[in-house]
Amino acid sequence: MTVAEGTLPLAPEHRRAEAPARTRRAPAQPAAAQAGAQPVSATPPAGAAVVARSAGSWHTRTFRWPAVRAFLLSTVAYPAVGIAVLLALWWLGGWAIANNDDVATFAGFAPAPAFAALGELVASGDVWGTIYPSLYRIGMGLLWAFVIGVPVGVAIGLSSALREVTHVPFQFLRMISPLAWMPIAVLAFATWDGAIVFLITVAAVWPVLFSTAQGVRRIDPLWFKVARNLGADGWQMLRRVIMPAIGQDIFAGLRLAVGVAWIVLVPAEYLGVTSGLGYAINDARDTLEYDTLAAIVVVIGIIGFLLDGLCVSLIKRFSWRQAD
Amino acid sequence: MSANVSVDYITHTFKGQPAPTLKDIALTIHPGEQVALIGRSGCGKSTLLHMLAGLLMPSEGCVHIRGHMVTRPSAKWNMMFQKPSLYPWMTVRRNAELGLLFAGHRDPARIDSLLELVGLADKAEANVQSLSGGQQQRVALARSLATSPELLLLDEPFSALDAFTRAALQDEVSRIARQAGLTLVIVTHDIDEAVAMADRVLIMAANPGRIAGEMAVELPAPRERASAEYSRAREQLMTTFDGLVGDGRSTAPQPAVATEEAQREAA
Ligand SMILES: Nc1ncnc2c1ncn2[C@@H]1O[C@H](COP(=O)(O)OP(=O)(O)OP(=O)(O)O)[C@@H](O)[C@H]1O
Ligand SMILES: [Mg+2]
């Protein structure tokens, strides 16, 4: 086939400047977010340039007060208020405990002793030795959940027969509390670590699996048709169409999985192991070091928050919906 | 080399349907011919086109393209849909080269010239979601042309576009097809589109879906929409269509097959 010179007359959409809408929206967004959303418009069409100039240079637009205020509010002020309220409630609780003679021995739970203990844990480096085994178990559990959940999820998303066959067993298994597997896990695995990883996997696999399956079912059927039409084989379909289409669903499932895995981790570490955050909590309780216990709880919260943030950035990374 | 399509008595009944959707469809399309397929909504145009593309197997009969029986989709006979259905996680360029990627031989220079051809050279690295509907459909066109198909099947590809963009794309696709010697089958609801693009218009009737008749459009390309010949051809097609499948008001049984000559006599 010979490719001729293009002589397509200018269609109306060429002339329709996309810039005005974007310019109007600009003050509400920080410049960085905009640049990220429009990586390709380095050379705007002629119409856009005129509009942009009339609306002022990038600098004057970026530093307009409403934009700065919105940015500061959402990234600094609102989170700060939330943290302050949480700390205030904690402090109030600690104050109430300290002033009640019946439970005054638990005064270590208050923020001040807890943060002092946290500082000590970090300074001595003990905290890393506590965090590392827990992160390892979480990581392994999530890895297995991923390795099992994604392929099975894709399969039941693609095959309605498989979906119907697995429906009852999966819903049945899903409803069993992961901790109810504990005795079986202890019997089945030679090491405590193995048992804990198993419990986390059992908890984390379902959100990954169901979210993946749902993502597959939501794929536009025309995407399959077009790819088949262009000559895609099964592997190419999986790699070029299905996986990119459901990336964000997989990581949304993983985000839920991190939540439940993190919840299961601590009680699972009450089992025979002598390391990890759950063990540290149990140990602190037995030795009556309530300030350390509270410090470990803070550590658990912070790591959970960071893991969640990691998942959110993965979801963003694999999201192709422009509205996101 | 272009395609010679022959459809041999296709009958198709969808699973769970009591009556066939298509019945005894037989037709031949010559190499390089541009054929329009018109008919009322639901008469089976898309179903027939899917069979030509190998995306759907008929319950009886078969389709041959250049002597080969169509049993599965191939990049040699490519279908374009009403929705552009681009992949939003790929750039414009990536979308356009997808067929070549599947075939394992990428050809950046070819993609460049195709994007040039559809007027999107400056958007090659753009996110497809930032394009207008007309631009997206042009990316889909470039994607269809990239694998050098012999046969291009178009299912109402321009119906979601505004009138100016539609007319421009009709002329452009028609021109590209003629230049490349492509065989074109275009399904449309639009009499104008049929007259603007086709050498021959097939008219389908419903219940069961069948070819009720056909009309040749003997106008030189490019077609001047404002010309008297164009208006005449348009009117003639309207009359033929009404004669074959009714004007929607009459419930009288329609003739199963009518030739162009018979229509001229009736008119
Ligand atoms: N997968 C399917 N299962 C059952 N029936 C179907 C299926 N696809 C289409 N049909 C039926 O077959 C008939 C023809 O459908 P088809 O999509 O080919 O019509 P069409 O001529 O393309 O209509 P339109 O102009 O509205 O696109 C319709 O009555 C439709 O309901
Ligand atoms: Mg249709």
Side-chain angles (χ1 to χ4, degrees):
Chain A
M1 197 197 104
T2 49
V3 175
E5 295 299 316
T7 51
L8 196 66
L10 267 192
E13 72 269 16
H14 270 312
R15 275 175 248 131
R16 194 198 310 146
E18 292 156 352
R22 226 183 288 147
T23 316
R24 241 178 282 125
R25 226 174 45 219
Q29 288 179 334
Q34 249 211 336
Q38 293 289 339
V40 281
S41 54
T43 49
V50 176
V51 179
R53 226 176 288 128
S54 68
S57 75
W58 276 101
H59 281 272
T60 53
R61 262 195 299 166
T62 311
F63 290 106
R64 273 206 199 134
W65 174 237
V68 178
R69 193 180 57 181
F71 178 78
L72 288 180
L73 273 179
S74 67
T75 59
V76 182
Y78 289 154
V81 169
I83 292 169
V85 168
L86 188 63
L87 283 175
L89 287 174
W90 184 7
W91 180 84
L92 264 179
W95 181 81
I97 288 172
N99 285 286
N100 184 334
D101 287 342
D102 293 341
V103 290
T105 39
F106 298 113
F109 277 125
F115 281 112
L118 183 58
E120 254 168 61
L121 279 176
V122 174
S124 66
D126 287 352
V127 72
W128 309 119
T130 305
I131 290 173
Y132 174 75
S134 289
L135 276 185
Y136 169 79
R137 291 167 193 142
I138 282 272
M140 289 306 287
L142 289 174
L143 187 68
W144 280 110
F146 198 84
V147 165
I148 299 166
V150 173
V152 177
V154 169
I156 67 173
L158 288 175
S159 156
S160 59
L162 202 57
R163 187 159 57 243
E164 279 169 39
V165 168
T166 54
H167 179 74
V168 172
F170 279 5
Q171 293 301 329
F172 175 80
L173 290 172
R174 184 170 78 100
M175 289 305 168
I176 299 172
S177 160
L179 297 177
W181 290 99
M182 225 180 244
I184 297 168
V186 170
L187 282 177
F189 286 85
T191 62
W192 290 111
D193 259 351
I196 291 170
V197 168
F198 171 77
L199 291 180
I200 293 170
T201 306
V202 162
V205 73
W206 303 112
V208 175
L209 193 156
F210 288 121
S211 183
T212 303
Q214 212 193 9
V216 172
R217 293 188 65 188
R218 276 208 318 249
I219 296 177
D220 185 344
L222 215 45
W223 282 347
F224 290 116
K225 217 186 256 182
V226 167
R228 274 213 296 149
N229 198 195
L230 290 170
D233 59 30
W235 167 247
Q236 288 168 329
M237 185 74 86
L238 186 68
R239 169 148 180 245
R240 302 281 178 196
V241 178
I242 297 176
M243 293 317 283
I246 64 170
Q248 56 200 336
D249 301 287
I250 293 177
F251 287 106
L254 193 70
R255 186 184 180 194
L256 295 176
V258 167
V260 291
W262 203 233
I263 289 167
V264 170
L265 174 79
V266 170
E269 282 180 339
Y270 290 173
L271 283 174
V273 290
T274 52
S275 61
L277 295 162
Y279 168 76
I281 285 189
N282 236 6
D283 190 48
R285 189 196 60 193
D286 293 345
T287 54
L288 308 181
E289 295 167 41
Y290 294 116
D291 50 349
T292 308
L293 200 159
I296 300 284
V297 169
V298 171
V299 169
I300 290 174
I302 291 173
I303 298 177
F305 179 79
L306 293 177
L307 284 177
D308 188 66
L310 183 68
C311 288
V312 169
S313 65
L314 279 172
I315 293 171
K316 278 213 183 104
R317 163 74 187 71
F318 286 93
S319 169
W320 41 262
R321 292 193 182 92
Q322 208 167 44
D324 286 354
Chain B
M1 223 0 230
S2 188
N4 187 2
V5 183
S6 102
V7 175
D8 303 323
Y9 296 95
I10 279 184
T11 293
H12 188 72
T13 311
F14 280 109
K15 226 182 357 191
Q17 300 287 67
T21 297
L22 297 179
K23 188 149 176 60
D24 292 334
I25 299 224
L27 56 99
T28 306
I29 299 168
H30 305 296
E33 201 180 7
Q34 306 200 348
V35 173
L37 196 56
I38 64 172
R40 289 187 189 290
S41 182
C43 70
K45 306 181 293 294
S46 299
T47 307
L48 179 56
L49 213 60
H50 276 74
M51 285 166 182
L52 297 184
L55 288 165
L56 185 67
M57 290 307 287
S59 14
E60 287 167 46
C62 56
V63 177
H64 285 89
I65 296 180
R66 275 215 281 148
H68 299 288
M69 195 167 122
V70 175
T71 52
R72 60 192 173 83
S74 154
K76 290 282 140 206
W77 36 92
N78 208 297
M79 184 148 166
M80 252 179 88
F81 304 88
Q82 182 175 3
K83 283 207 312 185
S85 341
L86 303 174
Y87 300 99
W89 53 87
M90 301 177 188
T91 60
V92 166
R93 167 186 296 284
R94 192 68 159 175
N95 269 284
E97 80 175 348
L98 197 57
L100 294 178
L101 193 70
F102 288 154
H105 49 81
R106 296 178 56 191
D107 187 348
R110 180 173 172 74
I111 300 302
D112 281 337
S113 62
L114 278 171
L115 290 178
E116 187 85 35
L117 178 68
V118 298
L120 288 173
D122 57 330
K123 299 271 188 191
E125 306 307 323
N127 182 327
V128 292
Q129 289 173 103
S130 67
L131 303 186
S132 72
Q135 291 171 328
Q136 291 192 10
Q137 198 57 292
R138 281 188 263 155
V139 177
L141 177 62
R143 176 174 67 186
S144 289
L145 294 174
T147 48
S148 314
E150 302 165 351
L151 172 63
L152 202 54
L153 305 158
L154 307 162
D155 195 353
E156 302 178 33
F158 312 129
S159 56
L161 307 178
D162 66 273
F164 304 108
T165 313
R166 194 187 312 144
L169 273 176
Q170 285 165 356
D171 292 348
E172 198 65 8
V173 169
S174 207
R175 194 179 61 76
I176 292 168
R178 267 181 232 289
Q179 233 151 33
L182 266 174
T183 306
L184 211 67
V185 180
I186 178 163
V187 163
T188 177
H189 277 142
D190 181 355
I191 298 257
D192 261 318
E193 188 157 274
V195 176
M197 297 184 73
D199 303 320
R200 185 157 60 110
V201 183
L202 300 174
I203 297 163
M204 273 185 83
N207 298 320
R210 62 197 183 274
I211 308 285
E214 61 176 63
M215 189 190 106
V217 181
E218 279 149 1
L219 295 175
R223 291 186 176 163
E224 192 46 66
R225 288 177 175 73
S227 71
E229 295 82 30
Y230 186 91
S231 306
R232 247 198 313 280
R234 197 177 171 284
E235 223 155 90
Q236 192 192 351
L237 182 56
M238 293 266 242
T239 318
T240 311
F241 185 87
D242 279 346
L244 288 172
V245 292
D247 56 5
R249 278 161 292 195
S250 84
T251 50
Q254 305 303 326
V257 172
T259 61
E260 205 189 315
E261 284 75 20
Q263 280 313 306
R264 276 214 198 96
E265 277 163 22

